[in-house]
Amino acid sequence: MENMLYLEAKKDQLGDKRLQRLYSITGYWPKKLVCYENIIDNTSIMIKEYPFPIIRLADLYLMYAEALNESLNDGEAVPPAVYESLDLIRKRSGLEGVKEYWQKYSINPTKPDTKEGMREIIRRERSIELALETHRFFDIRRWKLGLSAFNTTLTGWSINESETQGYYQLYPIGYMRFTQKDYLWPIKKQNMIVNPQLIQNPGW
């Protein structure tokens, strides 16, 4: 459409960091949870409100598949319900089932046949389906992968650049530190005073 407005987030554009808290520190502007019926053009603005999905059915399917898979004993066959839960999500996106997909397109076609293989597949499916929905931070801690996943440099686009070529270059914006004690948050001091029998979490 000729009158459509496009995001301007480079330096000296409308959406740059002069807006203080209303800019993106990474330069990424996810639209995943924005209603598709919103309209902003040169003459009008229409923002449609909709119920925010606190719990998504896809998340329940993913958690169910993960719980079933983790309950298996070593060497035990993966039950059909694990595949079925994931396939319900994939079907909505027009994708083939997990087993069919891996058999056709993977260099490791038997990966879905084992508990360990399905663990990796389920975690990947979660990261794709629930991207930008604040699940990953808690998933990584639950999987005890924080020490390897979080101790890294955070990067984003170069929001101080005014030209396209410079803007889309990755730029370090910070460093995240995660230690063993961060798997459990500290118990509030007030709670420790009220109940002296409480033991503070390790490292705090």
Side-chain angles (χ1 to χ4, degrees):
M1 297 177 61
E2 294 182 1
N3 295 328
M4 291 296 291
L5 296 182
Y6 296 92
L7 179 65
E8 296 184 352
K10 302 183 184 71
K11 182 181 179 182
D12 299 325
Q13 291 184 331
L14 293 175
D16 70 3
K17 66 179 183 179
R18 288 175 299 177
L19 295 175
Q20 299 179 356
R21 292 183 299 175
L22 299 179
Y23 75 98
S24 170
I25 191 174
T26 63
Y28 306 145
W29 294 83
K31 196 178 178 181
K32 183 175 184 180
L33 298 180
V34 176
C35 183
Y36 71 96
E37 294 181 313
N38 287 359
I39 298 175
I40 301 177
D41 58 28
N42 288 326
T43 60
S44 63
I45 297 177
M46 187 191 80
I47 306 299
K48 182 170 183 178
E49 297 183 0
Y50 70 103
F52 185 82
I54 300 299
I55 298 178
R56 293 215 290 117
L57 182 58
D59 187 18
L60 297 179
Y61 285 141
L62 287 161
M63 288 191 290
Y64 180 63
E66 181 179 342
L68 281 179
N69 191 66
E70 292 300 322
S71 70
L72 299 176
N73 297 317
D74 291 339
E76 190 175 354
V78 178
V82 173
Y83 306 122
E84 291 166 1
S85 296
L86 297 183
D87 291 350
L88 286 169
I89 301 170
R90 295 173 62 86
K91 182 179 180 181
R92 188 206 62 216
S93 301
L95 299 174
E96 297 177 78
V98 172
K99 295 201 71 170
E100 293 81 3
Y101 188 88
W102 279 82
Q103 288 171 358
K104 287 182 180 180
Y105 308 110
S106 172
I107 60 174
N108 185 6
T110 61
K111 189 169 186 174
D113 297 338
T114 66
K115 174 182 178 179
E116 293 74 18
M118 277 307 300
R119 177 184 292 140
E120 293 184 21
I121 291 172
I122 291 169
R123 290 177 179 180
R124 181 181 299 181
E125 294 284 327
R126 280 191 69 84
S127 69
I128 295 171
E129 175 65 27
L130 303 176
L132 306 174
E133 297 184 32
T134 71
H135 289 272
R136 181 167 173 78
F137 173 73
F138 300 99
D139 285 342
I140 292 295
R141 292 173 69 238
R142 177 164 55 84
W143 297 330
K144 301 296 187 290
L145 299 176
L147 295 176
S148 59
F150 288 148
N151 286 312
T152 184
T153 300
L154 304 177
T155 60
W157 287 333
S158 302
I159 61 175
N160 293 318
E161 298 288 336
S162 58
E163 300 298 326
T164 300
Q165 185 174 359
Y167 181 83
Y168 291 110
Q169 297 296 316
L170 286 180
Y171 181 81
I173 60 174
Y175 185 82
M176 188 173 183
R177 298 185 183 277
F178 189 93
T179 63
Q180 192 71 30
K181 74 175 185 178
D182 294 317
Y183 282 118
L184 297 173
W185 286 339
I187 300 174
K188 292 181 179 179
K189 184 177 181 180
Q190 180 62 30
N191 293 343
M192 302 286 291
I193 293 174
V194 171
N195 184 359
Q197 300 299 316
L198 290 176
I199 300 175
Q200 185 58 272
N201 285 325
W204 298 97

